[in-house]
Amino acid sequence: MLVCCNVKLSTARGYYHSERTPGTWAGKGAFSLELKGRISPPDPYFHLLEGFHPNGQDYLTGKRVSPLKRRAASDFVFSTPKSVSLQALVMGDEALREAHRQAVNSAIALLET
């Protein structure tokens, strides 16, 4: 499973990538494809949605699969209540930010099972 947080759908090439909050690679699939950190540039992400390896050259399945017979992506949103976000971001509460990161990682691990 590949998980990209804060990535949106778009206009150019059919998708858009949020510049303000770039996505982050996470999950076992991202690890196995050596994708880590922020999704920048977004090309590997677009290649994956189209069924290609992040390098844009090889099919992930070894052959072309019709978009009608595969699921390009699933979208999961992990957010906190506004009061928690304000405390973490505006007030700089690093403990809250870390708690959120751990909760997201736990949710991703659960989704992968």
Side-chain angles (χ1 to χ4, degrees), residues 89-112:
L89 298 174
V90 175
M91 303 304 287
D93 190 330
E94 190 55 41
L96 274 178
R97 292 178 73 151
E98 183 57 30
H100 179 70
R101 279 193 278 284
Q102 288 179 12
V104 169
N105 290 336
S106 295
I108 290 169
L110 183 62
L111 287 167
E112 289 181 318

Side-chain angles (χ1 to χ4, degrees), residues 65-80:
V65 176
S66 166
L68 300 174
K69 294 184 179 179
R70 66 176 171 80
R71 179 182 301 180
S74 296
D75 184 25
F76 300 97
V77 177
F78 303 96
S79 59
T80 61

Side-chain angles (χ1 to χ4, degrees), residues 15 44-67 70-73:
Y15 314 97
Y45 171 73
F46 296 129
H47 294 317
L48 289 168
L49 287 181
E50 294 165 3
F52 287 95
H53 185 278
N55 66 19
Q57 303 293 316
D58 308 310
Y59 290 109
L60 283 174
T61 59
K63 62 180 179 175
R64 185 179 190 284
V65 176
S66 166
R70 66 176 171 80
R71 179 182 301 180

Side-chain angles (χ1 to χ4, degrees), residues 16-35:
Y16 73 83
H17 182 263
S18 174
E19 297 295 328
R20 285 185 33 213
T21 54
T24 305
W25 295 109
K28 293 176 184 176
F31 180 80
S32 71
L33 292 171
E34 299 179 4
L35 297 168

